[in-house]
Amino acid sequence: MSSSPVPRAAGNSTPPQDYFMKSARIGFRCWSRDDLSLARELWADIEVTRFLGGPFSHEEIGERLEREIARMRAHQFQYWPIYLLSSDEHVGCCGLRPYKPEEQIPELGFHLRPRYWGQGLASEAARTVIRYAFENVGAKGLSAGHHPDNVTSKNLLEKLGFKYTHDEFYAPLEMNLPYYLLSRPW
């Protein structure tokens, strides 16, 4: 993995060749307002959003994109758009959002487009973001939650080393979700 301390925002929806962070198959960059069509492809897809309360309207997607851009400015992280290095195809997003900032515990999340499921890309992207969180953000731990019916996410979190800690009410879905914690490995 290669990374710089602070990712820089891209100016258009065409992925740059110099991603701020890479894994073996995936490149990461930052969302920009020019990425609305990519955001729509991702968050208007019922398969991507069925456990997130979607699909979302065009207005909701625009608001979500603006939140990601603002999160990057405020926290130096977001759910970054990710691309296949081999083709620059947009795979989805993976990154962080604030969870317990006073304890330096952000929340890990990922949303992949269906055609990229089952290829180990979510795991690869998540491992890259986990390393980034501990090495560059100064996280003391990472939280993650999932819809109770999303067994694939549950299994992936456990494979990544997250341990179940509690159920927590998630207002957008009006239900309790299982939450997990990954402690800093050193």
Side-chain angles (χ1 to χ4, degrees):
M1 178 187 86
S2 95
S3 64
S4 63
V6 178
R8 55 187 171 82
N12 60 47
S13 61
T14 303
Q17 296 303 311
D18 59 338
Y19 298 101
F20 79 87
M21 181 167 58
K22 295 178 187 177
S23 64
R25 299 180 292 164
I26 300 169
F28 292 73
R29 69 173 186 82
C30 297
W31 288 107
S32 77
R33 287 185 179 91
D34 295 333
D35 293 326
L36 187 56
S37 64
L38 291 177
R40 284 183 177 149
E41 286 177 14
L42 183 63
W43 293 315
D45 187 317
I46 185 64
E47 291 300 311
V48 173
T49 61
R50 68 182 162 148
F51 294 125
L52 306 172
F56 300 108
S57 70
H58 289 294
E59 182 178 314
E60 290 169 320
I61 293 167
E63 291 168 0
R64 183 177 284 266
L65 180 61
E66 288 298 323
R67 277 194 307 272
E68 293 300 331
I69 293 167
R71 183 175 297 140
M72 187 66 213
R73 281 193 305 267
H75 302 285
Q76 299 304 303
F77 55 72
Q78 61 180 208
Y79 281 16
W80 295 292
I82 57 175
Y83 299 83
L84 288 178
L85 292 173
S86 62
S87 63
D88 289 332
E89 292 175 67
H90 180 236
V91 173
C93 64
C94 182
L96 305 168
R97 69 180 188 170
Y99 178 66
K100 292 185 176 180
E102 67 285 352
E103 297 177 38
Q104 294 177 276
I105 300 176
E107 184 172 335
L108 173 73
F110 40 85
H111 308 146
L112 268 61
R113 296 171 63 201
R115 73 169 140 183
Y116 301 104
W117 294 353
Q119 300 174 38
L121 295 170
S123 175
E124 183 175 329
R127 287 183 197 285
T128 304
V129 170
I130 289 167
R131 179 170 288 149
Y132 184 89
F134 289 130
E135 292 178 359
N136 299 91
V137 175
K140 293 188 176 172
L142 291 174
S143 179
H146 67 83
H147 189 285
D149 295 335
N150 191 340
V151 177
T152 302
S153 285
K154 174 187 185 294
N155 292 340
L156 176 55
L157 291 174
E158 290 174 348
K159 178 180 168 184
L160 292 168
F162 283 80
K163 304 292 184 210
Y164 170 80
T165 57
H166 67 286
D167 283 358
E168 185 172 310
F169 185 73
Y170 184 65
L173 294 178
E174 299 181 349
M175 66 188 310
N176 286 324
L177 303 183
Y179 265 77
Y180 299 74
L181 181 67
L182 177 68
S183 298
R184 187 178 182 109
W186 59 87

